Amino acid sequence: MENEKQSLVEELKGLMEQNVSEVKEQVEQVKSRFYRVYHQELEEAKKAAEEAAEKAGETLSEWVPPIDEAEQQLRELLNQYKQKRQEMAKQAEEEMAQNLLRKENILNQMKEMAQAESADVMSNLQKMRDLQAEWKTIGAVPPQKSQEIWKQYQLYQEQFYDLVKINIELRDLDFKKNLEAKTLLCEAAEKLQENENIVEAGRALQQLHNEWAEIGPVARELREELWNRFKAASTVINKRHQAYFDALHEQEQANLEKKQALIERLKAVDLTQITTGKLWNEAQQTIQAIQDEWRQIGFAPKKYNQAIYEEYRSLCNAFYKARTSFFKDRRDELNENMKAKRSLIDRATELLNSEDWQERAEEMRNLQREWKNVGPVLHKFSDELWQQFTAICDQFFEKKRGAEKTSRDEKEKARTDKTMQSGDRGKLMRLYENLQQEIKTAENNILFFTGKSKSGNRIVEDMQKKIDKQKQQLKEIEEKINALDNAENAQ
């Protein structure tokens, strides 16, 4: 796009070397094409900046468009062009005022000759021709005066020829010259019908009319026929010219209706119903599709074009502002959740050094419940924080079970030894009931660790081995109780 912009700048430079009064449409086209590319670049640059900020976990609070050297060059050239046109317009006004004075002076002289009661015919005839020749060399006059002085020019010219009643051959010679000149203008007007550039043909026709107005009369019997021929050729060009601009205006009206429809689609996007990141991304795709369609549509009518564009930009800006605000608030919430989870990890780490396992175990379970109540964090940190927390929990409960296992083994051994030393049935029954309760408790606890982690699975295996061992001990005690009962029955 940079090459395209620079190319348009160079094209404008080339137009500046021409007559600025003749290149207005080309300049407007270059300007329009340049700013279409320029605004597209700005939108893409801003979008890229927003995406980059979003990836970095930041918010694009304010975006300043980069300085565009090509746009500065174009603006300077347009200022120069505007200044040249103003200078040329001022110069043209001054020239037209001088031209008016010159033509009024010629009209005064022609009036004297046309209304003179007696005159040197040959002398006045040459003077009239000189004045006509001088008239043709004078440029345009103010438009509001053009028709008036032209009528006076024709009037005094015809009055003069009628008054002096010059030699028929001489008058016929002037008529013949004028006929030849006007016939050439008719042919030129008819030739313009082949020109496919409607705007160029229209300007050329206007020039032919200016030349027609400067040529003197033809023979009276040929005037109407010749004028009708010239007018007929002009009508064809004028109709084509009018049809061209009618079609252009119809297209601009159609473009306006298309843009109004896109604006209604933008208005239909209810920002209050977009409550999740997924919905915001889906809505952004809808907005971008509308923007793509907008860029494919040409200009609307001039009196509506700027207003409808500003409404379009306002709606788009409102959407992206709301989207940015949503994701900023969401990032703040995710960051707060991450702080909360890190705090839970720190508190869980402190419990690892505890020796009061029963009391600290309840605290650890509370931490696990708190963790479940904390909302989500940024996806890239989620697994890492969860693995840290579960690893600490696994380590804690593994240490707790290790300590409890040692304590239980010692107590169990003491109870078993004591029981074996006495063949006391009451003690065997209490030991039997205690083992049953421990097995039941262990089987309930084992469900908590199932599927938690790889470390949790190892703990389950250890607990199952212990349960199996306790069940074997339970069977041995049961056999001893039965033996005591059998011995008692035998007695």
Side-chain angles (χ1 to χ4, degrees):
M1 290 187 181
E2 194 64 31
N3 292 337
E4 183 178 356
K5 291 192 297 183
Q6 196 60 47
S7 175
L8 290 171
V9 170
E10 295 302 322
E11 183 177 346
L12 182 57
K13 287 181 180 178
L15 292 173
M16 291 288 290
E17 296 176 2
Q18 304 179 34
N19 188 334
V20 294
S21 64
E22 299 177 356
V23 297
K24 180 180 179 181
E25 293 183 4
Q26 295 95 314
V27 170
E28 289 298 324
Q29 291 176 1
V30 169
K31 178 182 176 182
S32 176
R33 287 159 54 198
F34 182 94
Y35 278 105
R36 189 179 302 121
V37 175
Y38 173 74
H39 289 303
Q40 182 178 351
E41 282 188 349
L42 287 184
E43 289 182 6
E44 293 175 351
K46 184 176 181 181
K47 179 181 176 183
E50 290 174 341
E51 292 178 349
E54 184 175 351
K55 289 181 179 179
E58 300 174 352
T59 301
L60 188 65
S61 59
E62 182 177 1
W63 182 77
V64 179
I67 296 176
D68 191 314
E69 183 176 353
E71 196 269 343
Q72 291 181 335
Q73 292 177 355
L74 184 87
R75 189 179 299 174
E76 178 62 25
L77 289 172
L78 290 174
N79 289 336
Q80 295 176 14
Y81 166 78
K82 182 178 179 181
Q83 184 176 357
K84 282 187 177 182
R85 282 187 60 85
Q86 291 174 345
E87 293 173 356
M88 183 167 288
K90 182 178 179 182
Q91 182 179 354
E93 290 178 358
E94 294 173 353
E95 289 178 357
M96 286 191 292
Q98 291 298 319
N99 292 341
L100 178 61
L101 291 175
R102 291 178 63 189
K103 287 193 173 184
E104 288 176 341
N105 181 50
I106 291 175
L107 289 174
N108 289 333
Q109 298 180 59
M110 292 177 67
K111 182 178 180 181
E112 287 182 11
M113 292 188 293
Q115 298 178 355
E117 296 181 357
S118 61
D120 184 344
V121 175
M122 296 307 296
S123 175
N124 282 349
L125 178 60
Q126 186 58 47
K127 184 178 180 182
M128 176 63 74
R129 288 176 176 169
D130 292 339
L131 289 175
Q132 289 173 326
E134 182 181 358
W135 180 278
K136 293 178 181 179
T137 64
I138 301 174
V141 301
Q144 65 272 22
K145 292 288 186 179
S146 178
Q147 188 68 16
E148 177 184 346
I149 65 171
W150 167 245
K151 289 181 179 179
Q152 292 179 6
Y153 176 81
Q154 292 284 26
L155 174 64
Y156 297 147
Q157 187 173 235
E158 292 179 5
Q159 286 179 351
F160 173 78
Y161 284 113
D162 291 335
L163 180 65
V164 297
K165 301 185 185 302
I166 61 172
N167 183 295
I168 296 300
E169 291 81 6
L170 186 58
R171 179 170 178 149
D172 286 346
L173 179 61
D174 279 341
F175 283 167
K176 182 179 179 181
K177 289 171 58 179
N178 294 340
L179 177 62
E180 292 174 352
K182 288 190 172 182
T183 299
L184 290 174
L185 292 182
C186 287
E187 294 173 352
E190 292 165 349
K191 183 71 174 176
L192 284 177
Q193 298 176 23
E194 302 175 7
N195 191 335
E196 296 182 357
N197 189 323
I198 305 301
V199 177
E200 183 180 294
R203 288 199 299 265
L205 179 64
Q206 184 59 48
Q207 180 60 33
L208 294 181
H209 274 266
N210 293 338
E211 294 180 24
W212 181 282
E214 301 297 336
I215 299 174
V218 300
R220 189 177 299 276
E221 65 273 13
L222 297 176
R223 289 177 189 174
E224 185 175 358
E225 177 185 354
L226 193 63
W227 169 246
N228 287 338
R229 179 183 176 185
F230 185 65
K231 184 170 66 172
S234 300
T235 299
V236 174
I237 302 301
N238 287 332
K239 286 184 176 180
R240 288 176 58 197
H241 194 265
Q242 185 62 40
Y244 169 79
F245 281 100
D246 286 345
L248 184 62
H249 294 154
E250 288 179 4
Q251 183 60 53
E252 289 178 345
Q253 183 63 33
N255 293 341
L256 174 62
E257 293 173 1
K258 290 179 181 179
K259 290 186 174 183
Q260 287 172 334
L262 292 180
I263 284 178
E264 291 304 316
R265 286 169 59 187
L266 286 172
K267 290 180 179 178
V269 178
D270 188 354
L271 301 182
T272 63
Q273 299 301 315
I274 309 176
T275 56
T276 66
K278 180 181 179 182
L279 291 177
W280 275 107
N281 291 332
E282 291 174 353
Q284 183 180 10
Q285 292 178 358
T286 299
I287 298 299
Q288 288 174 343
I290 293 175
Q291 290 175 327
D292 291 339
E293 289 186 50
W294 183 281
R295 284 191 284 269
Q296 300 302 319
I297 302 175
F299 289 108
K302 188 175 182 180
K303 63 179 179 180
Y304 300 114
N305 197 62
Q306 185 61 30
I308 198 169
Y309 177 76
E310 289 176 356
E311 184 177 9
Y312 161 76
R313 285 309 319 159
S314 176
L315 290 169
C316 290
N317 290 339
F319 170 82
Y320 283 107
K321 182 178 180 181
R323 181 180 182 277
T324 299
S325 177
F326 171 83
F327 281 105
K328 179 181 181 300
D329 294 342
R330 183 172 176 81
R331 278 192 293 272
D332 291 343
E333 179 184 352
L334 294 176
N335 289 335
E336 288 300 319
N337 291 341
M338 184 161 64
K339 290 179 181 178
K341 289 193 173 183
R342 283 179 172 164
S343 175
L344 291 175
I345 290 173
D346 292 339
R347 289 163 60 189
T349 302
E350 294 175 359
L351 296 180
L352 286 176
N353 298 323
S354 170
E355 302 216 356
D356 187 355
W357 298 107
Q358 196 61 35
E359 180 180 348
R360 296 306 183 187
E362 186 59 29
E363 290 185 35
M364 183 63 79
R365 294 187 186 96
N366 289 335
L367 293 182
Q368 290 175 324
R369 286 189 284 271
E370 287 185 48
W371 182 279
K372 293 179 180 178
N373 293 329
V374 177
V377 300
L378 288 173
H379 182 70
K380 61 182 178 180
F381 298 117
S382 180
D383 289 344
E384 176 186 350
L385 293 175
W386 169 246
Q387 290 173 3
Q388 289 182 24
F389 183 69
T390 54
I392 293 172
C393 291
D394 290 345
Q395 186 179 356
F396 173 85
F397 284 108
E398 187 172 356
K399 291 176 69 175
K400 174 180 177 295
R401 283 188 295 275
E404 290 177 344
K405 179 177 182 298
T406 300
S407 176
R408 284 195 300 272
D409 288 346
E410 291 175 352
K411 291 179 180 179
E412 182 180 343
K413 185 176 183 302
R415 286 197 302 270
T416 301
D417 291 344
K418 188 174 181 180
T419 300
M420 295 299 293
Q421 291 173 1
S422 62
D424 188 332
R425 188 179 186 283
K427 292 182 179 179
L428 286 175
M429 285 300 298
R430 286 194 295 275
L431 181 59
Y432 182 85
E433 291 172 356
N434 288 338
L435 277 175
Q436 278 187 320
Q437 185 60 40
E438 288 181 7
I439 291 171
K440 183 178 180 181
T441 300
E443 287 178 337
N444 288 333
N445 290 339
I446 199 172
L447 296 176
F448 177 79
F449 296 96
T450 301
K452 288 288 184 177
S453 65
K454 292 182 178 179
S455 175
N457 289 336
R458 290 194 300 271
I459 294 171
V460 169
E461 292 176 0
D462 292 341
M463 292 179 68
Q464 187 61 51
K465 290 179 181 179
K466 178 182 177 182
I467 292 172
D468 293 341
K469 181 178 179 181
Q470 288 176 325
K471 286 182 176 180
Q472 180 61 35
Q473 291 176 347
L474 190 68
K475 183 178 180 181
E476 293 174 357
I477 294 172
E478 185 178 359
E479 291 175 351
K480 290 180 180 180
I481 292 173
N482 290 334
L484 288 175
D485 290 342
N486 290 334
E488 185 176 349
N489 291 333
Q491 293 176 357

